[in-house]
């Protein structure tokens, strides 16, 4: 189960990962559903909070040549973030766009506890859906 925590954590950072597949595999092996959900949610949330921390401290480097966003791109991201705000973290579970959203929450200094609350809801819902789908579709394959 510790492996699920680390796969979920890495999957939430800007590195690629496959926490859903690992979660489904462990579920097929008979691990307790609630424990799987809690571990996956905790690991993935922690990974996203690392992204928030990176965003929080990255802005101080925006004048450097190697900074990944241009001033124009950062201004566009800021307008988008102010338009949709912290509610955008409800899609932090989504591949490709979810990780940058958590970084933006840090860049624009969303309070830690509010970022955490939105991210837990999003990640917890995602893993609940994965487990429900596993029960619906994988049960015959697991035996």
């Amino acid at each position: 189960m510790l492996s699920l925590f680390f796969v979920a954590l890495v999957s939430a950072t800007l590195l690629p990962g496959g926490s859903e597949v690992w979660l489904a595999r462990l579920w097929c092996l008979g691990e307790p559903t609630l424990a799987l959900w809690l571990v996956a949610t905790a690991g993935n949330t922690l990974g996203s909070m690392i992204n928030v921390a990176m965003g929080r401290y990255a802005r101080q480097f925006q004048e450097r040549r190697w900074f990944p966003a241009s001033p124009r791109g950062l201004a566009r991201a800021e307008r988008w973030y102010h338009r949709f705000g912290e509610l955008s973290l409800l899609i932090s579970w989504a591949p490709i766009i979810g990780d940058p959203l958590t970084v933006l929450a840090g860049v624009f200094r969303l309070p830690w506890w509010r970022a955490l609350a939105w991210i837990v809801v999003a990640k917890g819902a995602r893993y609940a859906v994965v487990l429900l789908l596993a029960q619906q579709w994988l049960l015959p394959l697991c035996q």
Side-chain angles (χ1 to χ4, degrees), residues 72-92:
R72 185 174 172 198
L74 199 55
R76 186 173 53 238
E78 189 165 11
R79 282 191 307 274
W80 187 90
Y81 185 77
H82 287 301
R83 181 174 178 196
F84 296 104
E86 60 194 71
L87 284 177
S88 65
L89 289 176
L90 287 175
I91 56 172
S92 64

Side-chain angles (χ1 to χ4, degrees), residues 2 5 22 29-30 43 61 98 101 117 123 140:
L2 186 60
F5 179 84
W22 199 254
L29 292 174
F61 301 109
L101 287 173
K123 305 298 184 155

Side-chain angles (χ1 to χ4, degrees), residues 12-14 47-59 67-68 74 81 89 92 97-110 119:
T13 65
L14 298 175
S48 289
M49 292 306 290
I50 289 170
N51 289 346
V52 172
M54 288 189 320
R56 202 170 189 81
Y57 298 106
R59 193 146 193 186
F67 191 74
L74 199 55
Y81 185 77
L89 289 176
S92 64
I97 62 169
D99 298 338
L101 287 173
T102 58
V103 173
L104 284 177
V107 167
F108 300 120
R109 309 260 244 184
L110 181 64
I119 291 168

Side-chain angles (χ1 to χ4, degrees), residues 1 6 11 28 38-39 44 47 55 61 64 76 78 86 88 93 96 99 105 108 115 128 130:
M1 191 116 24
F6 287 112
S11 295
C28 268
L38 287 170
V39 168
N44 211 244
F61 301 109
R64 305 273 170 89
R76 186 173 53 238
E78 189 165 11
E86 60 194 71
S88 65
W93 62 268
I96 301 170
D99 298 338
F108 300 120
V130 168

